[in-house]
Amino acid sequence: KRAVTDVDGEVRFDPQNKPGVSNLLSILAATTGEKDPAALASRYTQYGPLKTDTAAALIEYLRPTQQRFADLRADPAEMDRILAAGAQRAQSIASVTLDRAFTAVGLR
């Protein structure tokens, strides 16, 4: 719960004057699918519940990513397969750009 807030205690979305609170509201909006961080501000009168809800929403939002990471970490062969496929795809995309660069500087 140690996020930078301010001393006036008012929860409102104001990135210029309240960047810490506005950041929390933006994170909460992004992780809950809310469209308007300012609308979320009207639900809070204190920083504590805002911080708690933001942390909970972020944890829940990241849960599938953390689970996928744990699954991959438990299966090194699958991780190696995915990395090799990604490297192959990246190489095929990059080779086009690299060929154009070599041609442009007269190396091909």
Coordinates of all heavy atoms in Angstrom, one line a residue:
K1 N 0.8 -1.2 0.0 CA 0.0 0.0 0.0 C 0.9 1.3 0.0 O 0.3 2.3 0.2 CB -0.9 0.0 1.2 CG -2.0 -1.0 1.1 CD -3.0 -0.8 2.3 CE -4.0 -1.8 2.2 NZ -5.0 -1.7 3.3
R2 N 2.1 1.1 -0.3 CA 3.0 2.3 -0.3 C 3.1 2.9 -1.7 O 4.0 2.6 -2.4 CB 4.3 1.9 0.2 CG 4.3 1.6 1.7 CD 5.7 1.5 2.2 NE 5.7 1.3 3.6 CZ 6.7 1.0 4.4 NH1 7.9 0.8 3.8 NH2 6.6 0.9 5.6
A3 N 2.0 3.5 -2.1 CA 2.1 4.3 -3.4 C 2.0 5.7 -3.1 O 1.4 6.2 -2.1 CB 0.8 3.9 -4.2
V4 N 2.7 6.5 -3.9 CA 2.7 8.0 -3.7 C 1.3 8.5 -3.9 O 0.7 8.3 -5.0 CB 3.7 8.6 -4.7 CG1 3.7 10.1 -4.5 CG2 5.1 8.1 -4.4
T5 N 0.8 9.2 -2.9 CA -0.4 9.9 -3.0 C -0.2 11.3 -2.7 O 0.8 11.9 -3.2 CB -1.5 9.2 -2.1 OG1 -1.0 9.0 -0.8 CG2 -2.0 7.9 -2.7
D6 N -0.9 12.0 -1.9 CA -0.7 13.3 -1.5 C -1.3 13.6 -0.2 O -1.9 12.7 0.4 CB -1.1 14.3 -2.6 CG -2.6 14.1 -3.0 OD1 -3.4 13.9 -2.1 OD2 -2.9 14.2 -4.2
V7 N -1.3 14.9 0.3 CA -1.7 15.2 1.6 C -3.2 15.6 1.7 O -3.7 15.6 2.8 CB -0.8 16.3 2.3 CG1 0.6 15.7 2.5 CG2 -0.8 17.5 1.4
D8 N -3.8 16.0 0.6 CA -5.2 16.5 0.8 C -6.2 15.4 0.9 O -7.3 15.7 1.4 CB -5.5 17.5 -0.4 CG -5.8 16.8 -1.7 OD1 -5.9 15.6 -1.8 OD2 -6.1 17.6 -2.7
G9 N -5.9 14.2 0.6 CA -6.8 13.1 0.8 C -8.0 13.0 -0.1 O -8.8 12.1 0.0
E10 N -8.1 13.8 -1.1 CA -9.2 13.7 -2.1 C -8.8 12.8 -3.2 O -7.8 13.0 -3.9 CB -9.5 15.1 -2.6 CG -10.7 15.1 -3.6 CD -10.9 16.5 -4.2 OE1 -10.2 17.4 -3.9 OE2 -11.8 16.6 -5.0
V11 N -9.7 11.9 -3.5 CA -9.5 10.9 -4.6 C -10.2 11.5 -5.8 O -11.4 11.6 -5.9 CB -10.0 9.5 -4.3 CG1 -9.9 8.6 -5.5 CG2 -9.4 9.0 -3.1
R12 N -9.4 11.9 -6.8 CA -9.9 12.5 -8.1 C -8.8 12.2 -9.2 O -7.6 12.1 -8.9 CB -10.3 13.9 -8.0 CG -9.1 14.9 -7.9 CD -9.7 16.4 -8.0 NE -8.6 17.3 -8.1 CZ -7.8 17.7 -7.1 NH1 -8.0 17.4 -5.9 NH2 -6.8 18.6 -7.4
F13 N -9.3 12.1 -10.4 CA -8.4 11.9 -11.5 C -8.0 13.2 -12.0 O -8.8 14.0 -12.6 CB -9.1 11.1 -12.6 CG -8.2 10.7 -13.7 CD1 -7.3 9.7 -13.6 CD2 -8.3 11.3 -15.0 CE1 -6.4 9.3 -14.6 CE2 -7.4 11.0 -16.0 CZ -6.5 10.0 -15.8
D14 N -6.7 13.5 -11.8 CA -6.1 14.8 -12.2 C -4.6 14.6 -12.4 O -3.8 14.8 -11.5 CB -6.4 15.9 -11.1 CG -5.8 17.2 -11.4 OD1 -5.1 17.4 -12.4 OD2 -6.1 18.2 -10.6
P15 N -4.3 14.1 -13.5 CA -2.9 13.7 -13.8 C -1.9 14.8 -13.5 O -0.7 14.6 -13.1 CB -2.8 13.3 -15.2 CG -4.2 12.9 -15.5 CD -5.1 13.8 -14.7
Q16 N -2.2 16.1 -13.7 CA -1.3 17.2 -13.5 C -1.1 17.5 -12.1 O 0.1 17.6 -11.7 CB -1.9 18.5 -14.2 CG -1.0 19.6 -14.2 CD 0.2 19.4 -15.1 OE1 0.1 18.7 -16.1 NE2 1.3 20.1 -14.8
N17 N -2.1 17.5 -11.3 CA -2.0 17.9 -9.9 C -1.9 16.7 -8.9 O -1.6 16.9 -7.7 CB -3.1 18.8 -9.5 CG -3.0 20.1 -10.2 OD1 -2.0 20.8 -10.3 ND2 -4.2 20.5 -10.9
K18 N -2.4 15.5 -9.3 CA -2.4 14.4 -8.5 C -1.9 13.1 -9.3 O -2.7 12.2 -9.5 CB -3.9 14.1 -8.0 CG -4.4 15.3 -7.1 CD -5.8 15.0 -6.7 CE -5.9 14.2 -5.5 NZ -5.4 14.6 -4.2
P19 N -0.7 13.2 -9.7 CA -0.2 12.1 -10.6 C -0.2 10.7 -9.9 O -0.5 9.7 -10.6 CB 1.3 12.5 -10.9 CG 1.6 13.5 -9.8 CD 0.4 14.2 -9.4
G20 N 0.1 10.6 -8.6 CA 0.1 9.3 -7.9 C -1.3 8.7 -7.9 O -1.5 7.5 -8.2
V21 N -2.3 9.5 -7.5 CA -3.7 9.0 -7.4 C -4.2 8.7 -8.8 O -4.8 7.7 -9.1 CB -4.6 10.0 -6.7 CG1 -6.0 9.6 -6.8 CG2 -4.1 10.2 -5.3
S22 N -3.9 9.6 -9.8 CA -4.3 9.4 -11.2 C -3.7 8.1 -11.7 O -4.3 7.4 -12.5 CB -3.9 10.6 -12.0 OG -4.6 11.7 -11.5
N23 N -2.4 7.8 -11.4 CA -1.8 6.6 -11.9 C -2.5 5.4 -11.3 O -2.8 4.4 -12.0 CB -0.3 6.6 -11.4 CG 0.4 5.4 -12.0 OD1 0.3 5.1 -13.2 ND2 1.2 4.7 -11.2
L24 N -2.9 5.4 -10.0 CA -3.6 4.3 -9.4 C -4.9 4.1 -10.1 O -5.3 3.0 -10.4 CB -3.8 4.5 -7.9 CG -2.6 4.4 -7.0 CD1 -2.9 4.8 -5.6 CD2 -2.1 2.9 -7.0
L25 N -5.6 5.2 -10.4 CA -6.9 5.1 -11.1 C -6.8 4.6 -12.5 O -7.6 3.8 -13.0 CB -7.6 6.5 -11.0 CG -8.1 6.9 -9.7 CD1 -8.4 8.4 -9.7 CD2 -9.3 6.1 -9.2
S26 N -5.7 5.0 -13.2 CA -5.5 4.5 -14.5 C -5.2 3.0 -14.5 O -5.7 2.2 -15.4 CB -4.3 5.2 -15.2 OG -4.7 6.6 -15.4
I27 N -4.4 2.5 -13.6 CA -4.1 1.1 -13.5 C -5.3 0.3 -13.2 O -5.6 -0.7 -13.8 CB -3.0 0.9 -12.4 CG1 -1.7 1.4 -12.9 CG2 -2.9 -0.6 -12.1 CD1 -0.6 1.5 -11.8
L28 N -6.1 0.8 -12.2 CA -7.4 0.2 -11.9 C -8.3 0.1 -13.1 O -8.9 -1.0 -13.3 CB -8.1 0.9 -10.7 CG -9.3 0.3 -10.2 CD1 -9.1 -1.2 -9.7 CD2 -9.9 1.1 -9.0
A29 N -8.4 1.2 -13.8 CA -9.3 1.2 -15.0 C -8.8 0.2 -16.0 O -9.6 -0.6 -16.6 CB -9.3 2.6 -15.6
A30 N -7.5 0.2 -16.3 CA -6.9 -0.8 -17.3 C -7.1 -2.2 -16.9 O -7.3 -3.1 -17.8 CB -5.5 -0.4 -17.5
T31 N -7.0 -2.5 -15.6 CA -7.1 -3.9 -15.2 C -8.5 -4.4 -14.9 O -8.7 -5.6 -14.7 CB -6.2 -4.1 -13.9 OG1 -6.6 -3.3 -12.9 CG2 -4.7 -3.9 -14.3
T32 N -9.4 -3.5 -14.9 CA -10.8 -3.9 -14.7 C -11.7 -3.7 -15.9 O -12.9 -4.1 -15.9 CB -11.5 -3.2 -13.5 OG1 -11.5 -1.8 -13.8 CG2 -10.8 -3.5 -12.2
G33 N -11.1 -3.1 -17.0 CA -11.9 -2.9 -18.2 C -12.7 -1.7 -18.2 O -13.5 -1.4 -19.1
E34 N -12.6 -0.9 -17.1 CA -13.3 0.4 -17.0 C -12.8 1.3 -18.1 O -11.6 1.3 -18.4 CB -13.1 1.0 -15.7 CG -13.8 0.3 -14.5 CD -15.3 0.4 -14.5 OE1 -15.8 1.4 -15.0 OE2 -15.9 -0.5 -13.9
K35 N -13.7 2.2 -18.6 CA -13.3 3.1 -19.7 C -12.7 4.4 -19.1 O -11.9 5.1 -19.8 CB -14.5 3.4 -20.6 CG -15.0 2.1 -21.3 CD -14.2 1.7 -22.4 CE -14.9 0.5 -23.1 NZ -14.0 -0.4 -23.7
D36 N -13.2 4.8 -18.0 CA -13.0 6.2 -17.5 C -12.4 6.2 -16.1 O -13.1 5.9 -15.1 CB -14.3 7.0 -17.6 CG -14.1 8.4 -17.2 OD1 -13.0 8.9 -17.1 OD2 -15.1 9.1 -17.0
P37 N -11.1 6.4 -15.9 CA -10.5 6.5 -14.6 C -11.2 7.6 -13.7 O -11.3 7.4 -12.5 CB -9.1 6.9 -14.8 CG -8.8 6.5 -16.3 CD -10.1 6.7 -17.0
A38 N -11.7 8.7 -14.3 CA -12.3 9.7 -13.5 C -13.6 9.2 -12.9 O -13.9 9.5 -11.8 CB -12.6 10.9 -14.4
A39 N -14.3 8.3 -13.6 CA -15.6 7.8 -13.1 C -15.2 6.8 -11.9 O -16.0 6.8 -10.9 CB -16.3 7.0 -14.1
L40 N -14.1 6.1 -12.0 CA -13.7 5.3 -10.8 C -13.4 6.1 -9.6 O -13.7 5.7 -8.5 CB -12.5 4.5 -11.2 CG -12.6 3.3 -12.1 CD1 -11.3 2.7 -12.5 CD2 -13.5 2.2 -11.4
A41 N -12.9 7.3 -9.8 CA -12.5 8.1 -8.6 C -13.7 8.4 -7.7 O -13.6 8.5 -6.5 CB -11.9 9.4 -9.1
S42 N -14.9 8.5 -8.4 CA -16.1 8.9 -7.6 C -16.5 7.8 -6.6 O -17.3 8.0 -5.7 CB -17.3 9.2 -8.6 OG -17.6 8.0 -9.3
R43 N -15.9 6.6 -6.8 CA -16.3 5.4 -5.9 C -15.4 5.4 -4.7 O -15.7 4.6 -3.8 CB -16.1 4.1 -6.7 CG -16.9 4.0 -7.9 CD -16.6 2.7 -8.6 NE -17.2 2.7 -9.9 CZ -17.0 1.7 -10.8 NH1 -16.2 0.7 -10.5 NH2 -17.5 1.8 -12.0
Y44 N -14.5 6.3 -4.6 CA -13.5 6.3 -3.4 C -13.5 7.6 -2.7 O -13.5 8.7 -3.3 CB -12.1 5.9 -3.9 CG -12.0 4.6 -4.5 CD1 -12.2 4.4 -5.9 CD2 -11.8 3.4 -3.7 CE1 -12.2 3.1 -6.4 CE2 -11.8 2.2 -4.3 CZ -12.0 2.0 -5.6 OH -11.9 0.7 -6.1
T45 N -13.4 7.5 -1.4 CA -13.3 8.7 -0.6 C -12.0 8.7 0.2 O -11.6 9.7 0.8 CB -14.4 8.8 0.5 OG1 -14.4 7.6 1.3 CG2 -15.8 9.0 -0.2
Q46 N -11.3 7.6 0.1 CA -10.0 7.4 0.8 C -9.0 6.7 -0.1 O -9.4 5.9 -0.9 CB -10.1 6.6 2.1 CG -11.0 7.3 3.1 CD -11.2 6.5 4.4 OE1 -11.2 5.2 4.3 NE2 -11.3 7.1 5.5
Y47 N -7.7 6.9 0.2 CA -6.7 6.3 -0.6 C -6.5 4.8 -0.3 O -6.3 4.0 -1.2 CB -5.3 6.9 -0.4 CG -5.2 8.4 -0.8 CD1 -4.5 9.3 -0.1 CD2 -5.9 8.8 -2.0 CE1 -4.4 10.6 -0.5 CE2 -5.8 10.1 -2.4 CZ -5.0 11.0 -1.6 OH -5.0 12.3 -2.0
G48 N -6.7 4.4 0.9 CA -6.5 3.0 1.3 C -7.3 2.0 0.5 O -6.8 1.1 -0.1
P49 N -8.6 2.2 0.4 CA -9.4 1.3 -0.4 C -9.1 1.3 -1.9 O -9.1 0.3 -2.6 CB -10.9 1.7 -0.2 CG -10.8 2.4 1.2 CD -9.5 3.1 1.2
L50 N -8.7 2.5 -2.4 CA -8.3 2.6 -3.8 C -7.0 1.8 -4.0 O -6.9 1.0 -5.0 CB -8.0 4.0 -4.2 CG -7.3 4.3 -5.5 CD1 -8.2 3.7 -6.7 CD2 -7.1 5.8 -5.7
K51 N -6.0 1.9 -3.1 CA -4.8 1.1 -3.2 C -5.1 -0.4 -3.1 O -4.5 -1.2 -3.9 CB -3.8 1.6 -2.1 CG -3.3 3.0 -2.4 CD -2.4 3.4 -1.2 CE -1.9 4.8 -1.4 NZ -1.0 5.2 -0.3
T52 N -5.9 -0.8 -2.2 CA -6.2 -2.2 -2.0 C -6.9 -2.8 -3.2 O -6.6 -3.8 -3.7 CB -7.1 -2.4 -0.8 OG1 -6.4 -1.9 0.4 CG2 -7.6 -3.8 -0.6
D53 N -7.9 -2.0 -3.7 CA -8.6 -2.5 -4.9 C -7.7 -2.5 -6.2 O -7.8 -3.4 -7.0 CB -9.8 -1.6 -5.2 CG -11.0 -1.8 -4.2 OD1 -10.9 -2.7 -3.4 OD2 -11.9 -1.0 -4.3
T54 N -6.8 -1.6 -6.3 CA -5.9 -1.5 -7.4 C -5.0 -2.7 -7.4 O -4.7 -3.4 -8.4 CB -5.1 -0.2 -7.5 OG1 -6.0 0.9 -7.6 CG2 -4.2 -0.2 -8.7
A55 N -4.4 -3.0 -6.2 CA -3.5 -4.2 -6.0 C -4.3 -5.5 -6.3 O -3.7 -6.3 -7.1 CB -3.0 -4.2 -4.6
A56 N -5.5 -5.6 -5.8 CA -6.3 -6.8 -6.1 C -6.6 -7.0 -7.6 O -6.5 -8.1 -8.1 CB -7.5 -6.8 -5.3
A57 N -6.9 -5.9 -8.2 CA -7.2 -6.0 -9.7 C -6.0 -6.3 -10.5 O -6.1 -7.1 -11.4 CB -7.8 -4.6 -10.1
L58 N -4.9 -5.8 -10.1 CA -3.6 -6.0 -10.8 C -3.2 -7.5 -10.6 O -2.8 -8.2 -11.6 CB -2.5 -5.1 -10.3 CG -1.2 -5.1 -11.1 CD1 -1.5 -4.8 -12.6 CD2 -0.2 -4.1 -10.5
I59 N -3.3 -8.0 -9.4 CA -3.0 -9.4 -9.2 C -3.9 -10.3 -10.0 O -3.4 -11.3 -10.6 CB -3.1 -9.7 -7.7 CG1 -2.0 -9.1 -6.9 CG2 -3.2 -11.2 -7.4 CD1 -2.2 -9.0 -5.4
E60 N -5.2 -10.0 -10.0 CA -6.1 -10.8 -10.8 C -5.8 -10.7 -12.3 O -5.9 -11.7 -13.0 CB -7.6 -10.4 -10.5 CG -8.6 -11.5 -10.9 CD -8.3 -12.8 -10.3 OE1 -7.9 -13.0 -9.1 OE2 -8.5 -13.8 -11.0
Y61 N -5.5 -9.6 -12.7 CA -5.2 -9.3 -14.2 C -4.0 -10.1 -14.6 O -4.0 -10.7 -15.7 CB -5.0 -7.8 -14.4 CG -4.7 -7.4 -15.8 CD1 -5.8 -7.3 -16.7 CD2 -3.4 -7.2 -16.2 CE1 -5.5 -6.9 -18.0 CE2 -3.2 -6.8 -17.6 CZ -4.2 -6.7 -18.4 OH -4.0 -6.3 -19.7
L62 N -3.0 -10.2 -13.7 CA -1.8 -10.9 -14.1 C -1.8 -12.4 -13.8 O -0.9 -13.1 -14.2 CB -0.6 -10.3 -13.3 CG -0.2 -8.9 -13.7 CD1 0.9 -8.3 -12.7 CD2 0.2 -8.8 -15.1
R63 N -2.9 -12.9 -13.1 CA -3.0 -14.3 -12.8 C -2.8 -15.2 -14.0 O -2.0 -16.2 -13.9 CB -4.3 -14.6 -12.1 CG -4.4 -16.0 -11.5 CD -5.6 -16.3 -10.7 NE -5.9 -15.2 -9.7 CZ -5.3 -15.1 -8.5 NH1 -4.4 -16.0 -8.2 NH2 -5.6 -14.2 -7.7
P64 N -3.5 -15.0 -15.1 CA -3.3 -15.9 -16.3 C -1.8 -15.9 -16.8 O -1.3 -17.0 -17.2 CB -4.2 -15.4 -17.3 CG -5.2 -14.6 -16.6 CD -4.5 -14.0 -15.4
T65 N -1.2 -14.8 -16.8 CA 0.2 -14.7 -17.2 C 1.1 -15.4 -16.3 O 2.0 -16.2 -16.7 CB 0.6 -13.2 -17.3 OG1 -0.2 -12.5 -18.2 CG2 2.1 -13.1 -17.8
Q66 N 0.9 -15.3 -15.0 CA 1.7 -16.0 -14.0 C 1.5 -17.5 -14.1 O 2.4 -18.3 -14.0 CB 1.4 -15.5 -12.6 CG 1.8 -14.1 -12.4 CD 1.4 -13.6 -11.0 OE1 0.3 -13.9 -10.5 NE2 2.3 -12.8 -10.4
Q67 N 0.3 -17.9 -14.4 CA 0.0 -19.3 -14.5 C 0.7 -19.9 -15.7 O 1.3 -21.0 -15.7 CB -1.5 -19.6 -14.5 CG -1.9 -21.1 -14.6 CD -1.3 -21.9 -13.4 OE1 -1.6 -21.5 -12.3 NE2 -0.6 -22.9 -13.7
R68 N 0.6 -19.2 -16.8 CA 1.3 -19.6 -18.1 C 2.8 -19.7 -17.9 O 3.4 -20.7 -18.3 CB 0.9 -18.7 -19.2 CG 1.6 -19.1 -20.5 CD 1.0 -20.3 -21.1 NE 1.5 -20.6 -22.4 CZ 1.9 -21.8 -22.9 NH1 1.8 -22.8 -22.1 NH2 2.4 -21.9 -24.1
F69 N 3.3 -18.7 -17.2 CA 4.8 -18.8 -16.9 C 5.1 -20.0 -16.0 O 6.1 -20.7 -16.3 CB 5.2 -17.5 -16.2 CG 6.6 -17.5 -15.8 CD1 7.6 -17.3 -16.7 CD2 7.0 -17.7 -14.5 CE1 9.0 -17.3 -16.4 CE2 8.4 -17.7 -14.1 CZ 9.3 -17.5 -15.1
A70 N 4.3 -20.3 -15.0 CA 4.6 -21.4 -14.2 C 4.5 -22.7 -15.0 O 5.3 -23.6 -14.8 CB 3.6 -21.4 -13.0
D71 N 3.5 -22.8 -15.9 CA 3.3 -24.0 -16.7 C 4.5 -24.2 -17.6 O 5.0 -25.3 -17.7 CB 2.1 -23.9 -17.6 CG 0.8 -23.9 -16.8 OD1 0.8 -24.3 -15.6 OD2 -0.3 -23.5 -17.3
L72 N 5.0 -23.1 -18.2 CA 6.2 -23.2 -19.1 C 7.4 -23.5 -18.3 O 8.3 -24.3 -18.8 CB 6.3 -21.9 -19.9 CG 5.3 -21.6 -21.0 CD1 5.5 -20.2 -21.5 CD2 5.4 -22.7 -22.1
R73 N 7.6 -23.0 -17.2 CA 8.7 -23.2 -16.4 C 8.8 -24.7 -15.9 O 9.9 -25.3 -15.8 CB 8.7 -22.3 -15.1 CG 10.0 -22.2 -14.5 CD 10.1 -21.0 -13.6 NE 11.4 -20.9 -13.2 CZ 11.8 -20.3 -12.0 NH1 10.9 -19.7 -11.3 NH2 13.0 -20.2 -11.7
A74 N 7.6 -25.3 -15.8 CA 7.6 -26.7 -15.4 C 7.8 -27.6 -16.5 O 8.0 -28.8 -16.3 CB 6.2 -27.0 -14.7
D75 N 7.8 -27.1 -17.8 CA 8.0 -28.0 -19.0 C 9.1 -27.3 -19.8 O 8.8 -26.7 -20.8 CB 6.7 -28.1 -19.7 CG 6.8 -29.0 -20.9 OD1 7.8 -29.5 -21.2 OD2 5.7 -29.3 -21.5
P76 N 10.4 -27.6 -19.5 CA 11.5 -27.0 -20.3 C 11.5 -27.3 -21.7 O 11.8 -26.5 -22.6 CB 12.7 -27.5 -19.6 CG 12.3 -27.9 -18.2 CD 10.9 -28.4 -18.4
A77 N 11.0 -28.5 -22.1 CA 11.0 -28.9 -23.5 C 10.0 -28.0 -24.3 O 10.3 -27.6 -25.4 CB 10.6 -30.3 -23.7
E78 N 8.9 -27.7 -23.7 CA 7.9 -26.9 -24.3 C 8.4 -25.4 -24.4 O 8.2 -24.8 -25.5 CB 6.5 -26.9 -23.6 CG 5.5 -25.9 -24.1 CD 5.0 -26.3 -25.5 OE1 5.4 -27.3 -26.1 OE2 4.1 -25.5 -26.0
M79 N 9.1 -25.0 -23.4 CA 9.7 -23.6 -23.4 C 10.7 -23.6 -24.6 O 10.7 -22.6 -25.3 CB 10.4 -23.3 -22.1 CG 11.1 -22.0 -22.1 SD 10.0 -20.6 -22.0 CE 9.8 -20.5 -20.2
D80 N 11.6 -24.6 -24.7 CA 12.6 -24.6 -25.8 C 11.9 -24.6 -27.2 O 12.3 -23.9 -28.1 CB 13.5 -25.8 -25.7 CG 14.4 -25.7 -24.5 OD1 14.6 -24.6 -23.9 OD2 15.0 -26.8 -24.1
R81 N 10.8 -25.4 -27.3 CA 10.1 -25.4 -28.6 C 9.5 -24.0 -28.9 O 9.6 -23.6 -30.0 CB 8.9 -26.4 -28.5 CG 8.2 -26.7 -29.8 CD 6.9 -27.4 -29.7 NE 5.9 -26.6 -29.0 CZ 5.2 -25.6 -29.5 NH1 5.5 -25.1 -30.7 NH2 4.3 -24.9 -28.8
I82 N 8.9 -23.4 -28.0 CA 8.3 -22.1 -28.2 C 9.4 -21.0 -28.5 O 9.2 -20.2 -29.4 CB 7.5 -21.6 -27.0 CG1 6.2 -22.5 -26.8 CG2 7.1 -20.1 -27.0 CD1 5.5 -22.3 -25.5
L83 N 10.5 -21.1 -27.8 CA 11.6 -20.1 -28.1 C 12.2 -20.4 -29.5 O 12.5 -19.4 -30.2 CB 12.7 -20.3 -27.0 CG 12.3 -19.7 -25.6 CD1 13.4 -20.1 -24.6 CD2 12.1 -18.2 -25.7
A84 N 12.3 -21.6 -29.8 CA 12.9 -21.9 -31.2 C 11.9 -21.4 -32.3 O 12.4 -20.9 -33.3 CB 13.1 -23.4 -31.3
A85 N 10.6 -21.7 -32.1 CA 9.7 -21.2 -33.1 C 9.7 -19.7 -33.2 O 9.6 -19.1 -34.3 CB 8.3 -21.7 -32.7
G86 N 9.8 -19.0 -32.0 CA 9.8 -17.6 -32.0 C 11.1 -17.0 -32.7 O 11.0 -16.0 -33.4
A87 N 12.2 -17.7 -32.4 CA 13.5 -17.3 -33.0 C 13.4 -17.4 -34.6 O 13.9 -16.6 -35.3 CB 14.6 -18.1 -32.5
Q88 N 12.8 -18.6 -35.0 CA 12.7 -18.8 -36.4 C 11.8 -17.7 -37.1 O 12.1 -17.2 -38.2 CB 12.1 -20.2 -36.7 CG 12.1 -20.6 -38.1 CD 11.6 -22.0 -38.3 OE1 11.0 -22.6 -37.5 NE2 11.8 -22.5 -39.5
R89 N 10.7 -17.4 -36.5 CA 9.8 -16.4 -37.0 C 10.5 -15.0 -37.0 O 10.4 -14.3 -38.0 CB 8.5 -16.3 -36.2 CG 7.5 -15.3 -36.7 CD 6.2 -15.5 -36.1 NE 5.2 -14.6 -36.6 CZ 4.8 -13.4 -36.0 NH1 5.3 -13.1 -34.8 NH2 4.0 -12.6 -36.7
A90 N 11.2 -14.7 -35.9 CA 11.9 -13.4 -35.9 C 12.9 -13.3 -37.0 O 13.1 -12.3 -37.6 CB 12.5 -13.2 -34.5
Q91 N 13.7 -14.4 -37.2 CA 14.7 -14.4 -38.2 C 14.2 -14.2 -39.6 O 14.7 -13.5 -40.4 CB 15.5 -15.8 -38.1 CG 16.9 -15.7 -38.7 CD 16.9 -15.7 -40.2 OE1 16.1 -16.4 -40.8 NE2 17.9 -15.0 -40.8
S92 N 13.0 -14.9 -39.9 CA 12.4 -14.7 -41.2 C 12.0 -13.3 -41.4 O 12.1 -12.8 -42.6 CB 11.3 -15.7 -41.4 OG 10.2 -15.4 -40.6
I93 N 11.5 -12.7 -40.4 CA 11.0 -11.3 -40.6 C 12.2 -10.4 -40.7 O 12.3 -9.5 -41.5 CB 10.1 -10.9 -39.4 CG1 8.8 -11.7 -39.4 CG2 9.8 -9.4 -39.4 CD1 8.0 -11.5 -38.2
A94 N 13.2 -10.6 -39.8 CA 14.4 -9.7 -39.8 C 15.2 -9.8 -41.1 O 15.9 -8.9 -41.5 CB 15.2 -10.0 -38.6
S95 N 15.2 -11.0 -41.7 CA 16.1 -11.2 -42.8 C 15.7 -10.3 -44.0 O 16.5 -9.9 -44.8 CB 16.1 -12.7 -43.2 OG 14.8 -13.1 -43.7
V96 N 14.4 -10.0 -44.1 CA 13.9 -9.1 -45.2 C 14.5 -7.7 -45.0 O 15.0 -7.1 -45.9 CB 12.4 -9.1 -45.2 CG1 11.9 -8.1 -46.2 CG2 11.8 -10.5 -45.5
T97 N 14.4 -7.3 -43.8 CA 15.0 -5.9 -43.4 C 16.5 -5.9 -43.6 O 17.1 -5.0 -44.1 CB 14.6 -5.5 -42.0 OG1 13.1 -5.6 -41.9 CG2 15.1 -4.1 -41.7
L98 N 17.1 -7.0 -43.1 CA 18.6 -7.0 -43.2 C 19.0 -7.1 -44.7 O 20.0 -6.4 -45.1 CB 19.1 -8.3 -42.5 CG 20.6 -8.4 -42.3 CD1 21.2 -7.2 -41.6 CD2 20.9 -9.7 -41.6
D99 N 18.3 -7.8 -45.5 CA 18.6 -7.8 -47.0 C 18.5 -6.4 -47.6 O 19.4 -6.0 -48.4 CB 17.7 -8.8 -47.7 CG 18.2 -10.3 -47.5 OD1 19.3 -10.5 -47.1 OD2 17.3 -11.2 -47.8
R100 N 17.4 -5.7 -47.2 CA 17.3 -4.4 -47.8 C 18.4 -3.5 -47.3 O 18.9 -2.6 -48.1 CB 15.9 -3.8 -47.3 CG 14.7 -4.4 -48.1 CD 13.4 -3.7 -47.9 NE 13.4 -2.6 -47.0 CZ 12.5 -2.5 -45.9 NH1 11.6 -3.4 -45.8 NH2 12.6 -1.5 -45.1
A101 N 18.8 -3.6 -46.0 CA 19.9 -2.8 -45.5 C 21.2 -3.1 -46.2 O 21.9 -2.2 -46.6 CB 20.0 -3.0 -44.0
F102 N 21.5 -4.4 -46.4 CA 22.7 -4.7 -47.1 C 22.7 -4.2 -48.5 O 23.7 -3.7 -49.0 CB 22.9 -6.3 -47.1 CG 23.5 -6.8 -45.9 CD1 23.5 -8.2 -45.7 CD2 23.9 -6.1 -44.8 CE1 24.0 -8.8 -44.5 CE2 24.4 -6.6 -43.7 CZ 24.5 -8.0 -43.5
T103 N 21.6 -4.3 -49.2 CA 21.5 -3.8 -50.6 C 21.7 -2.3 -50.6 O 22.3 -1.7 -51.5 CB 20.1 -4.2 -51.2 OG1 20.0 -5.6 -51.2 CG2 19.9 -3.7 -52.6
A104 N 21.0 -1.6 -49.6 CA 21.1 -0.1 -49.6 C 22.5 0.4 -49.4 O 22.9 1.4 -49.9 CB 20.2 0.4 -48.5
V105 N 23.3 -0.3 -48.7 CA 24.7 0.1 -48.4 C 25.7 -0.5 -49.4 O 26.9 -0.4 -49.2 CB 25.1 -0.1 -46.9 CG1 24.3 0.7 -46.0 CG2 25.1 -1.6 -46.6
G106 N 25.2 -1.3 -50.3 CA 26.1 -1.9 -51.4 C 26.8 -3.1 -51.0 O 27.8 -3.5 -51.6
L107 N 26.3 -3.8 -50.0 CA 27.0 -5.1 -49.6 C 26.4 -6.3 -50.3 O 26.9 -7.4 -50.2 CB 26.9 -5.3 -48.1 CG 27.6 -4.2 -47.3 CD1 27.4 -4.4 -45.8 CD2 29.1 -4.3 -47.5
R108 N 25.4 -6.1 -51.1 CA 24.8 -7.2 -51.9 C 24.5 -6.7 -53.3 O 24.3 -5.6 -53.6 CB 23.5 -7.7 -51.3 CG 23.7 -8.3 -50.0 CD 22.8 -9.4 -49.8 NE 23.2 -10.1 -48.6 CZ 22.5 -10.6 -47.6 NH1 21.2 -10.6 -47.8 NH2 23.0 -11.2 -46.6

